[in-house]
Amino acid sequence: MKSPAQRILLALLCTSAVAASAQERMIAPTPPAPGNVTLSLDEYNRLTALANKPPKKTDAPPMNYVVKRADVKLNVTNSIVLGTVQLEGETYTKAAIKVPLVTGMTVLDARLDGKPLPLQSEGPAHTAVLPGAADFAVTVEAGLPLAIDAGRASFNLPVPAAGSARLELVVPGDHANVRVSAGLITKRTSVNGQTTVEATLVPGQPTTIWWTTREVTAPAVPREVRFLSDVKTLVSVSESDLRIAALVDITVVQGEPSQFTLALPAGYELTSATGASLDSSEVQSGSLILKLLPGNQKSHEFLISLEKSISDTKTDVPFLTFKDTQRETGEILVEGGGTIELTAKESGGLKRMDVKEVNPYLRSLTRFPMQAAFRYHRQPSESPSLALDWVRFPDSSVLAAIAEHAVITTLVTSEGKSLTEVKLTVRNQAQPFLKVALPQGVSILSAEVAGEKVKPVQGADGNRVPLLRPGFRPNGPYEVSFVFMHSGAPFAKKGGSEISLPKMDVPINLLQWEVFLPEQYKVKDFGGDAIAANLVPASSFGVDGAGDFNAYVFTKSGANTYPLSLLTGQIGGYVLDPSGATVPNAQVTVQQLDYGVTRTATTDSNGKWVVSSIPSGRVKVTLAGNGFRPTVREGSYEADRPAEMDAALQLGAAMETVTVEASVLPLNTSMADIGRNYDKKAAKQQAQREEMAPSSNVTIFQRKVAGVLPVAVDVPHAGNSYRFVRPLVLDEETKLTFAYKTK
């Protein structure tokens, strides 16, 4: 047993030896000198064993060849089946290999990539030696026997063993009923007495193919085609071209036609040819060929359109004729576009007829006024002809709508806002809307057509007020009204202001404008497009020179009253009840107090009355009606300024009399009034007050603003009216400027 000291010494010695050995391994060995190498016996035996070990053999392919696809194309002729079998595949061996191609067929020829290929017979199979490790494409021409039984033909097809097999078979007979056992037919067609079948077969499995034969009968000799034609022609003469639209009726009497041929007139271009039985149409050598759909139809209808450009004022109308027709009849209708005077000269059996007798279907094609109509029955010995000659006149525009009167009332508030009501007496032919060019920020609050509310329309280029409404068919003048509001600018202590009326796209014969301003403003220096009404004689425009400014009244009962055209020495007007309806059969008495002249009249069904031969001076007018209190109006009158007076009677007993102040009479008050003598200054002030007194239009509009319009505006009820007129306004604004100051 070793002592501890010995064990320590032994460990140190081992550590030194290991370190020395590691140091020796870290030094790179010196390459041996050229010459012999000494190996150990174990290393020599290992190298010898590796040298004597046999090399690993390459794995052989599982198959030496493969046929990828087989396409069989056969054609049945007489009692034999002939065709080709196309085989595509690949060989995998390096050396040439024998590949079976077809079995159970009589082989006539074989080719490999277009070159002759020798075959070997091994029983029913035919094989060929093909080069190794290459693709191949072999075509084999072969035949099969055909078995024919009563009403049936068949043969057996040995399908090559391939990845896929496809058959294309042609058998005689239209629509032959071909069947394939162990296969699927994918397509069947019949052309020129033969039936072609495409099928997918089961590779390597025999397939039986059969079909039923049909007895071929000799085709029947087609019968001669005979038909009758009737051509109804519309001739349209426009400014630049001549158009022909023909309604053709053909009745087949014998045979089954497949097409009809129509000779096209020279210079005309075919624009369309349509018909229920028309399959297609084409133009050949100046003729239109109409090809028909299959079927034994006896009646055919076509619509044929032609046109050509014209620069002259005369032409000959072409007559459309079908080739080989047995009988041809027709009608000719001529229409002219624009303002035209057309003369038609007929000959050759063409008979003139009334346009009302023309076929209704032909009349439905017209777009212009009908000028002349003819009918014909073509005979072998004559040919109808029609020569047209015309004179064209320039067209003039026609107004679709016109406004006979425009009565406009504007209420101006102390804040500068303005409400305007426009009433138009319209005669309308066909215009549906009135275009109103309102400035920015102005909106239409309401609109009415003949007393019923309508809805304004906001368009891309402006506002539009309807001129018509559903169910309304005007046969005379009627009222269209609308109300709009302008925010304006507040009034200062003094300054200037401007009010304008918008453009309206209908001509206005006479525009009458009443502007109502608050009484705290003194207004002067009017300017603009309109004329002050007091500067215009009353007879010039039918404007009442003093007092009421009503140009017309549309009563609640629907009756219309219009301004009266009064002559010198006449007084007239309308009698209304409190609701605004006219009062017929009312008694009117006019007394000229200075000369003792008395005239009487009775109102007609519209409440109108007129008296004549009234000299200038003081006049007293008494109006009475059954169930109403008599109304008396007095004032001065000038014969050269005939005045219109509209009065509203009040309900009550006949013994009660209503006397109206002179300030509301439509009579001149610049002279002595009601037997009292005023000085000239007082008379002038009285005339000014009467001239600026608001009309009933203002009061009616004020009530409308308070209770009807959807707007909250503080309209003043005390103020002065200023009246203006403007004749013949043609789609243009009407502006009014004035200076003002606070009283």
mmCIF file of all heavy atoms in Angstrom, residues 526-571:
data_model
loop_
_atom_site.group_PDB
_atom_site.id
_atom_site.type_symbol
_atom_site.label_atom_id
_atom_site.label_comp_id
_atom_site.label_asym_id
_atom_site.label_seq_id
_atom_site.Cartn_x
_atom_site.Cartn_y
_atom_site.Cartn_z
ATOM 1 N N PHE A 526 -87.467 108.466 -57.902
ATOM 2 C CA PHE A 526 -87.556 107.098 -58.416
ATOM 3 C C PHE A 526 -86.839 106.998 -59.754
ATOM 4 O O PHE A 526 -86.893 107.908 -60.583
ATOM 5 C CB PHE A 526 -89.016 106.686 -58.589
ATOM 6 C CG PHE A 526 -89.697 106.350 -57.293
ATOM 7 C CD1 PHE A 526 -90.513 107.265 -56.655
ATOM 8 C CD2 PHE A 526 -89.504 105.116 -56.708
ATOM 9 C CE1 PHE A 526 -91.138 106.952 -55.470
ATOM 10 C CE2 PHE A 526 -90.122 104.793 -55.516
ATOM 11 C CZ PHE A 526 -90.936 105.713 -54.890
ATOM 12 N N GLY A 527 -86.174 105.883 -59.955
ATOM 13 C CA GLY A 527 -85.512 105.605 -61.220
ATOM 14 C C GLY A 527 -85.574 104.122 -61.522
ATOM 15 O O GLY A 527 -86.042 103.311 -60.723
ATOM 16 N N GLY A 528 -85.081 103.731 -62.686
ATOM 17 C CA GLY A 528 -85.087 102.313 -63.047
ATOM 18 C C GLY A 528 -85.743 102.077 -64.392
ATOM 19 O O GLY A 528 -85.847 102.976 -65.238
ATOM 20 N N ASP A 529 -86.230 100.834 -64.585
ATOM 21 C CA ASP A 529 -86.782 100.428 -65.878
ATOM 22 C C ASP A 529 -88.269 100.729 -66.010
ATOM 23 O O ASP A 529 -88.790 100.782 -67.124
ATOM 24 C CB ASP A 529 -86.567 98.919 -66.092
ATOM 25 C CG ASP A 529 -85.099 98.541 -66.009
ATOM 26 O OD1 ASP A 529 -84.291 99.322 -66.516
ATOM 27 O OD2 ASP A 529 -84.787 97.479 -65.443
ATOM 28 N N ALA A 530 -88.972 100.877 -64.874
ATOM 29 C CA ALA A 530 -90.413 101.064 -64.930
ATOM 30 C C ALA A 530 -90.760 102.548 -65.001
ATOM 31 O O ALA A 530 -89.947 103.421 -64.688
ATOM 32 C CB ALA A 530 -91.078 100.417 -63.725
ATOM 33 N N ILE A 531 -92.023 102.831 -65.383
ATOM 34 C CA ILE A 531 -92.530 104.195 -65.519
ATOM 35 C C ILE A 531 -93.575 104.418 -64.441
ATOM 36 O O ILE A 531 -94.418 103.546 -64.172
ATOM 37 C CB ILE A 531 -93.145 104.410 -66.910
ATOM 38 C CG1 ILE A 531 -92.141 104.027 -68.004
ATOM 39 C CG2 ILE A 531 -93.624 105.834 -67.087
ATOM 40 C CD1 ILE A 531 -92.733 104.008 -69.389
ATOM 41 N N ALA A 532 -93.531 105.586 -63.803
ATOM 42 C CA ALA A 532 -94.549 105.913 -62.809
ATOM 43 C C ALA A 532 -95.919 105.903 -63.463
ATOM 44 O O ALA A 532 -96.116 106.438 -64.560
ATOM 45 C CB ALA A 532 -94.257 107.264 -62.176
ATOM 46 N N ALA A 533 -96.890 105.271 -62.790
ATOM 47 C CA ALA A 533 -98.206 105.102 -63.393
ATOM 48 C C ALA A 533 -98.905 106.430 -63.616
ATOM 49 O O ALA A 533 -99.688 106.573 -64.568
ATOM 50 C CB ALA A 533 -99.060 104.196 -62.505
ATOM 51 N N ASN A 534 -98.632 107.465 -62.747
ATOM 52 C CA ASN A 534 -99.326 108.744 -62.920
ATOM 53 C C ASN A 534 -98.818 109.534 -64.120
ATOM 54 O O ASN A 534 -99.389 110.555 -64.476
ATOM 55 C CB ASN A 534 -99.219 109.585 -61.645
ATOM 56 C CG ASN A 534 -97.760 109.847 -61.265
ATOM 57 O OD1 ASN A 534 -96.831 109.440 -61.978
ATOM 58 N ND2 ASN A 534 -97.563 110.504 -60.140
ATOM 59 N N LEU A 535 -97.729 109.054 -64.733
ATOM 60 C CA LEU A 535 -97.219 109.726 -65.927
ATOM 61 C C LEU A 535 -97.773 109.132 -67.208
ATOM 62 O O LEU A 535 -97.477 109.625 -68.306
ATOM 63 C CB LEU A 535 -95.688 109.653 -65.955
ATOM 64 C CG LEU A 535 -94.953 110.291 -64.771
ATOM 65 C CD1 LEU A 535 -93.457 110.100 -64.922
ATOM 66 C CD2 LEU A 535 -95.301 111.770 -64.654
ATOM 67 N N VAL A 536 -98.541 108.065 -67.077
ATOM 68 C CA VAL A 536 -99.040 107.359 -68.251
ATOM 69 C C VAL A 536 -100.543 107.559 -68.330
ATOM 70 O O VAL A 536 -101.259 107.354 -67.334
ATOM 71 C CB VAL A 536 -98.713 105.856 -68.161
ATOM 72 C CG1 VAL A 536 -99.218 105.128 -69.402
ATOM 73 C CG2 VAL A 536 -97.215 105.661 -67.996
ATOM 74 N N PRO A 537 -101.091 107.968 -69.471
ATOM 75 C CA PRO A 537 -102.544 108.079 -69.605
ATOM 76 C C PRO A 537 -103.222 106.748 -69.336
ATOM 77 O O PRO A 537 -102.714 105.683 -69.698
ATOM 78 C CB PRO A 537 -102.737 108.519 -71.059
ATOM 79 C CG PRO A 537 -101.436 109.134 -71.445
ATOM 80 C CD PRO A 537 -100.386 108.401 -70.693
ATOM 81 N N ALA A 538 -104.355 106.841 -68.655
ATOM 82 C CA ALA A 538 -105.036 105.608 -68.254
ATOM 83 C C ALA A 538 -105.413 104.755 -69.447
ATOM 84 O O ALA A 538 -105.401 103.535 -69.389
ATOM 85 C CB ALA A 538 -106.272 105.938 -67.427
ATOM 86 N N SER A 539 -105.768 105.390 -70.562
ATOM 87 C CA SER A 539 -106.212 104.624 -71.725
ATOM 88 C C SER A 539 -105.070 103.953 -72.462
ATOM 89 O O SER A 539 -105.290 103.111 -73.318
ATOM 90 C CB SER A 539 -106.971 105.533 -72.685
ATOM 91 O OG SER A 539 -106.122 106.600 -73.099
ATOM 92 N N SER A 540 -103.812 104.317 -72.132
ATOM 93 C CA SER A 540 -102.680 103.745 -72.867
ATOM 94 C C SER A 540 -102.512 102.274 -72.559
ATOM 95 O O SER A 540 -102.293 101.455 -73.443
ATOM 96 C CB SER A 540 -101.394 104.510 -72.519
ATOM 97 O OG SER A 540 -101.505 105.859 -72.888
ATOM 98 N N PHE A 541 -102.589 101.921 -71.258
ATOM 99 C CA PHE A 541 -102.383 100.536 -70.860
ATOM 100 C C PHE A 541 -103.582 99.965 -70.118
ATOM 101 O O PHE A 541 -103.513 98.873 -69.581
ATOM 102 C CB PHE A 541 -101.150 100.413 -69.961
ATOM 103 C CG PHE A 541 -99.889 100.898 -70.588
ATOM 104 C CD1 PHE A 541 -99.117 101.867 -69.972
ATOM 105 C CD2 PHE A 541 -99.477 100.392 -71.804
ATOM 106 C CE1 PHE A 541 -97.954 102.308 -70.552
ATOM 107 C CE2 PHE A 541 -98.305 100.837 -72.388
ATOM 108 C CZ PHE A 541 -97.542 101.803 -71.770
ATOM 109 N N GLY A 542 -104.658 100.727 -70.030
ATOM 110 C CA GLY A 542 -105.777 100.233 -69.250
ATOM 111 C C GLY A 542 -105.537 100.379 -67.769
ATOM 112 O O GLY A 542 -106.123 99.676 -66.966
ATOM 113 N N VAL A 543 -104.628 101.323 -67.352
ATOM 114 C CA VAL A 543 -104.315 101.503 -65.946
ATOM 115 C C VAL A 543 -105.240 102.546 -65.374
ATOM 116 O O VAL A 543 -105.441 103.607 -65.953
ATOM 117 C CB VAL A 543 -102.839 101.936 -65.777
ATOM 118 C CG1 VAL A 543 -102.523 102.157 -64.324
ATOM 119 C CG2 VAL A 543 -101.935 100.899 -66.384
ATOM 120 N N ASP A 544 -105.773 102.274 -64.204
ATOM 121 C CA ASP A 544 -106.613 103.244 -63.515
ATOM 122 C C ASP A 544 -105.730 104.357 -63.003
ATOM 123 O O ASP A 544 -104.822 104.147 -62.219
ATOM 124 C CB ASP A 544 -107.333 102.539 -62.348
ATOM 125 C CG ASP A 544 -108.430 103.398 -61.773
ATOM 126 O OD1 ASP A 544 -108.540 104.542 -62.204
ATOM 127 O OD2 ASP A 544 -109.164 102.905 -60.898
ATOM 128 N N GLY A 545 -105.967 105.573 -63.468
ATOM 129 C CA GLY A 545 -105.087 106.675 -63.146
ATOM 130 C C GLY A 545 -105.105 107.078 -61.708
ATOM 131 O O GLY A 545 -104.137 107.617 -61.204
ATOM 132 N N ALA A 546 -106.135 106.866 -60.960
ATOM 133 C CA ALA A 546 -106.175 107.239 -59.559
ATOM 134 C C ALA A 546 -106.954 106.195 -58.807
ATOM 135 O O ALA A 546 -107.776 105.486 -59.336
ATOM 136 C CB ALA A 546 -106.824 108.613 -59.395
ATOM 137 N N GLY A 547 -106.702 106.132 -57.523
ATOM 138 C CA GLY A 547 -107.428 105.195 -56.683
ATOM 139 C C GLY A 547 -106.939 103.781 -56.844
ATOM 140 O O GLY A 547 -105.758 103.518 -56.804
ATOM 141 N N ASP A 548 -107.875 102.836 -57.017
ATOM 142 C CA ASP A 548 -107.548 101.412 -56.983
ATOM 143 C C ASP A 548 -106.638 101.032 -58.141
ATOM 144 O O ASP A 548 -106.817 101.480 -59.265
ATOM 145 C CB ASP A 548 -108.837 100.600 -57.057
ATOM 146 C CG ASP A 548 -108.677 99.268 -56.369
ATOM 147 O OD1 ASP A 548 -107.538 98.934 -56.044
ATOM 148 O OD2 ASP A 548 -109.696 98.587 -56.167
ATOM 149 N N PHE A 549 -105.662 100.168 -57.841
ATOM 150 C CA PHE A 549 -104.666 99.774 -58.840
ATOM 151 C C PHE A 549 -104.933 98.364 -59.336
ATOM 152 O O PHE A 549 -104.075 97.720 -59.894
ATOM 153 C CB PHE A 549 -103.279 99.857 -58.200
ATOM 154 C CG PHE A 549 -102.153 99.785 -59.196
ATOM 155 C CD1 PHE A 549 -101.911 100.819 -60.079
ATOM 156 C CD2 PHE A 549 -101.332 98.676 -59.249
ATOM 157 C CE1 PHE A 549 -100.865 100.749 -60.969
ATOM 158 C CE2 PHE A 549 -100.277 98.608 -60.142
ATOM 159 C CZ PHE A 549 -100.038 99.651 -61.010
ATOM 160 N N ASN A 550 -106.122 97.825 -59.149
ATOM 161 C CA ASN A 550 -106.422 96.471 -59.591
ATOM 162 C C ASN A 550 -106.447 96.405 -61.106
ATOM 163 O O ASN A 550 -107.301 97.010 -61.734
ATOM 164 C CB ASN A 550 -107.787 96.011 -59.062
ATOM 165 C CG ASN A 550 -107.707 95.607 -57.611
ATOM 166 O OD1 ASN A 550 -106.697 95.078 -57.185
ATOM 167 N ND2 ASN A 550 -108.761 95.877 -56.856
ATOM 168 N N ALA A 551 -105.508 95.723 -61.680
ATOM 169 C CA ALA A 551 -105.558 95.487 -63.116
ATOM 170 C C ALA A 551 -106.541 94.380 -63.443
ATOM 171 O O ALA A 551 -107.161 94.370 -64.484
ATOM 172 C CB ALA A 551 -104.182 95.137 -63.643
ATOM 173 N N TYR A 552 -106.671 93.424 -62.568
ATOM 174 C CA TYR A 552 -107.661 92.367 -62.737
ATOM 175 C C TYR A 552 -107.863 91.712 -61.392
ATOM 176 O O TYR A 552 -107.065 91.865 -60.469
ATOM 177 C CB TYR A 552 -107.230 91.316 -63.763
ATOM 178 C CG TYR A 552 -105.942 90.647 -63.436
ATOM 179 C CD1 TYR A 552 -105.919 89.506 -62.641
ATOM 180 C CD2 TYR A 552 -104.741 91.160 -63.902
ATOM 181 C CE1 TYR A 552 -104.718 88.895 -62.327
ATOM 182 C CE2 TYR A 552 -103.556 90.551 -63.584
ATOM 183 C CZ TYR A 552 -103.554 89.414 -62.802
ATOM 184 O OH TYR A 552 -102.374 88.809 -62.499
ATOM 185 N N VAL A 553 -108.934 90.988 -61.256
ATOM 186 C CA VAL A 553 -109.262 90.304 -60.007
ATOM 187 C C VAL A 553 -109.585 88.860 -60.342
ATOM 188 O O VAL A 553 -110.349 88.598 -61.262
ATOM 189 C CB VAL A 553 -110.466 90.965 -59.292
ATOM 190 C CG1 VAL A 553 -110.834 90.191 -58.046
ATOM 191 C CG2 VAL A 553 -110.151 92.413 -58.939
ATOM 192 N N PHE A 554 -109.006 87.918 -59.610
ATOM 193 C CA PHE A 554 -109.367 86.515 -59.717
ATOM 194 C C PHE A 554 -110.173 86.178 -58.483
ATOM 195 O O PHE A 554 -109.629 86.127 -57.383
ATOM 196 C CB PHE A 554 -108.129 85.618 -59.819
ATOM 197 C CG PHE A 554 -107.512 85.679 -61.164
ATOM 198 C CD1 PHE A 554 -106.665 86.713 -61.509
ATOM 199 C CD2 PHE A 554 -107.803 84.715 -62.103
ATOM 200 C CE1 PHE A 554 -106.092 86.772 -62.752
ATOM 201 C CE2 PHE A 554 -107.226 84.768 -63.355
ATOM 202 C CZ PHE A 554 -106.377 85.801 -63.678
ATOM 203 N N THR A 555 -111.443 86.019 -58.630
ATOM 204 C CA THR A 555 -112.326 85.866 -57.485
ATOM 205 C C THR A 555 -112.236 84.466 -56.915
ATOM 206 O O THR A 555 -111.791 83.533 -57.564
ATOM 207 C CB THR A 555 -113.775 86.147 -57.907
ATOM 208 O OG1 THR A 555 -114.164 85.157 -58.856
ATOM 209 C CG2 THR A 555 -113.890 87.511 -58.563
ATOM 210 N N LYS A 556 -112.710 84.299 -55.683
ATOM 211 C CA LYS A 556 -112.656 83.006 -55.020
ATOM 212 C C LYS A 556 -113.574 81.991 -55.673
ATOM 213 O O LYS A 556 -113.382 80.800 -55.541
ATOM 214 C CB LYS A 556 -113.021 83.170 -53.544
ATOM 215 C CG LYS A 556 -112.010 83.984 -52.766
ATOM 216 C CD LYS A 556 -112.394 84.087 -51.313
ATOM 217 C CE LYS A 556 -111.369 84.907 -50.527
ATOM 218 N NZ LYS A 556 -111.726 85.045 -49.092
ATOM 219 N N SER A 557 -114.577 82.479 -56.353
ATOM 220 C CA SER A 557 -115.488 81.550 -57.016
ATOM 221 C C SER A 557 -114.921 80.990 -58.296
ATOM 222 O O SER A 557 -115.496 80.108 -58.897
ATOM 223 C CB SER A 557 -116.814 82.259 -57.322
ATOM 224 O OG SER A 557 -116.600 83.305 -58.257
ATOM 225 N N GLY A 558 -113.768 81.495 -58.734
ATOM 226 C CA GLY A 558 -113.135 80.981 -59.940
ATOM 227 C C GLY A 558 -113.398 81.810 -61.158
ATOM 228 O O GLY A 558 -112.829 81.567 -62.213
ATOM 229 N N ALA A 559 -114.264 82.865 -61.068
ATOM 230 C CA ALA A 559 -114.523 83.713 -62.233
ATOM 231 C C ALA A 559 -113.366 84.663 -62.438
ATOM 232 O O ALA A 559 -112.785 85.171 -61.488
ATOM 233 C CB ALA A 559 -115.821 84.480 -62.042
ATOM 234 N N ASN A 560 -113.023 84.940 -63.672
ATOM 235 C CA ASN A 560 -111.907 85.813 -63.990
ATOM 236 C C ASN A 560 -112.433 87.153 -64.498
ATOM 237 O O ASN A 560 -113.337 87.203 -65.328
ATOM 238 C CB ASN A 560 -111.026 85.196 -65.077
ATOM 239 C CG ASN A 560 -110.434 83.885 -64.612
ATOM 240 O OD1 ASN A 560 -110.384 83.623 -63.431
ATOM 241 N ND2 ASN A 560 -109.998 83.070 -65.554
ATOM 242 N N THR A 561 -111.843 88.250 -64.002
ATOM 243 C CA THR A 561 -112.170 89.574 -64.511
ATOM 244 C C THR A 561 -110.895 90.215 -64.993
ATOM 245 O O THR A 561 -109.846 90.060 -64.365
ATOM 246 C CB THR A 561 -112.825 90.440 -63.426
ATOM 247 O OG1 THR A 561 -111.912 90.600 -62.352
ATOM 248 C CG2 THR A 561 -114.091 89.791 -62.890
ATOM 249 N N TYR A 562 -110.984 90.941 -66.097
ATOM 250 C CA TYR A 562 -109.814 91.485 -66.744
ATOM 251 C C TYR A 562 -109.979 92.993 -66.912
ATOM 252 O O TYR A 562 -111.093 93.521 -66.867
ATOM 253 C CB TYR A 562 -109.601 90.823 -68.107
ATOM 254 C CG TYR A 562 -109.473 89.335 -68.009
ATOM 255 C CD1 TYR A 562 -110.581 88.510 -68.216
ATOM 256 C CD2 TYR A 562 -108.262 88.762 -67.656
ATOM 257 C CE1 TYR A 562 -110.465 87.141 -68.083
ATOM 258 C CE2 TYR A 562 -108.144 87.391 -67.532
ATOM 259 C CZ TYR A 562 -109.245 86.585 -67.745
ATOM 260 O OH TYR A 562 -109.119 85.242 -67.617
ATOM 261 N N PRO A 563 -108.867 93.700 -67.109
ATOM 262 C CA PRO A 563 -108.978 95.149 -67.297
ATOM 263 C C PRO A 563 -109.885 95.486 -68.471
ATOM 264 O O PRO A 563 -109.886 94.814 -69.501
ATOM 265 C CB PRO A 563 -107.527 95.568 -67.561
ATOM 266 C CG PRO A 563 -106.706 94.477 -66.978
ATOM 267 C CD PRO A 563 -107.486 93.227 -67.133
ATOM 268 N N LEU A 564 -110.664 96.533 -68.276
ATOM 269 C CA LEU A 564 -111.586 96.965 -69.326
ATOM 270 C C LEU A 564 -110.898 97.983 -70.228
ATOM 271 O O LEU A 564 -110.191 98.871 -69.749
ATOM 272 C CB LEU A 564 -112.839 97.589 -68.701
ATOM 273 C CG LEU A 564 -113.645 96.671 -67.770
ATOM 274 C CD1 LEU A 564 -114.841 97.435 -67.205
ATOM 275 C CD2 LEU A 564 -114.105 95.429 -68.492
ATOM 276 N N SER A 565 -111.103 97.839 -71.509
ATOM 277 C CA SER A 565 -110.593 98.819 -72.479
ATOM 278 C C SER A 565 -111.704 99.849 -72.704
ATOM 279 O O SER A 565 -112.595 99.664 -73.547
ATOM 280 C CB SER A 565 -110.194 98.131 -73.786
ATOM 281 O OG SER A 565 -109.159 97.204 -73.557
ATOM 282 N N LEU A 566 -111.679 100.916 -71.922
ATOM 283 C CA LEU A 566 -112.736 101.923 -71.949
ATOM 284 C C LEU A 566 -112.387 103.033 -72.932
ATOM 285 O O LEU A 566 -111.227 103.432 -73.055
ATOM 286 C CB LEU A 566 -112.948 102.496 -70.548
ATOM 287 C CG LEU A 566 -113.374 101.475 -69.478
ATOM 288 C CD1 LEU A 566 -113.453 102.147 -68.127
ATOM 289 C CD2 LEU A 566 -114.695 100.825 -69.835
ATOM 290 N N LEU A 567 -113.414 103.508 -73.608
ATOM 291 C CA LEU A 567 -113.252 104.622 -74.540
ATOM 292 C C LEU A 567 -113.537 105.938 -73.823
ATOM 293 O O LEU A 567 -113.988 105.973 -72.666
ATOM 294 C CB LEU A 567 -114.193 104.438 -75.724
ATOM 295 C CG LEU A 567 -114.041 103.124 -76.510
ATOM 296 C CD1 LEU A 567 -115.101 103.043 -77.593
ATOM 297 C CD2 LEU A 567 -112.638 103.007 -77.081
ATOM 298 N N THR A 568 -113.284 107.034 -74.540
ATOM 299 C CA THR A 568 -113.534 108.372 -73.973
ATOM 300 C C THR A 568 -115.005 108.505 -73.590
ATOM 301 O O THR A 568 -115.906 108.165 -74.365
ATOM 302 C CB THR A 568 -113.151 109.454 -74.986
ATOM 303 O OG1 THR A 568 -111.773 109.310 -75.318
ATOM 304 C CG2 THR A 568 -113.401 110.846 -74.419
ATOM 305 N N GLY A 569 -115.248 108.984 -72.359
ATOM 306 C CA GLY A 569 -116.608 109.197 -71.875
ATOM 307 C C GLY A 569 -117.244 107.966 -71.278
ATOM 308 O O GLY A 569 -118.437 107.993 -70.956
ATOM 309 N N GLN A 570 -116.489 106.863 -71.127
ATOM 310 C CA GLN A 570 -117.054 105.641 -70.554
ATOM 311 C C GLN A 570 -116.613 105.475 -69.103
ATOM 312 O O GLN A 570 -115.527 105.900 -68.706
ATOM 313 C CB GLN A 570 -116.624 104.405 -71.353
ATOM 314 C CG GLN A 570 -117.294 104.275 -72.707
ATOM 315 C CD GLN A 570 -116.922 102.967 -73.387
ATOM 316 O OE1 GLN A 570 -115.859 102.402 -73.127
ATOM 317 N NE2 GLN A 570 -117.799 102.495 -74.265
ATOM 318 N N ILE A 571 -117.473 104.847 -68.317
ATOM 319 C CA ILE A 571 -117.160 104.401 -66.960
ATOM 320 C C ILE A 571 -117.624 102.952 -66.873
ATOM 321 O O ILE A 571 -118.730 102.618 -67.321
ATOM 322 C CB ILE A 571 -117.857 105.251 -65.878
ATOM 323 C CG1 ILE A 571 -117.439 106.713 -65.984
ATOM 324 C CG2 ILE A 571 -117.531 104.731 -64.488
ATOM 325 C CD1 ILE A 571 -118.143 107.613 -64.991
#
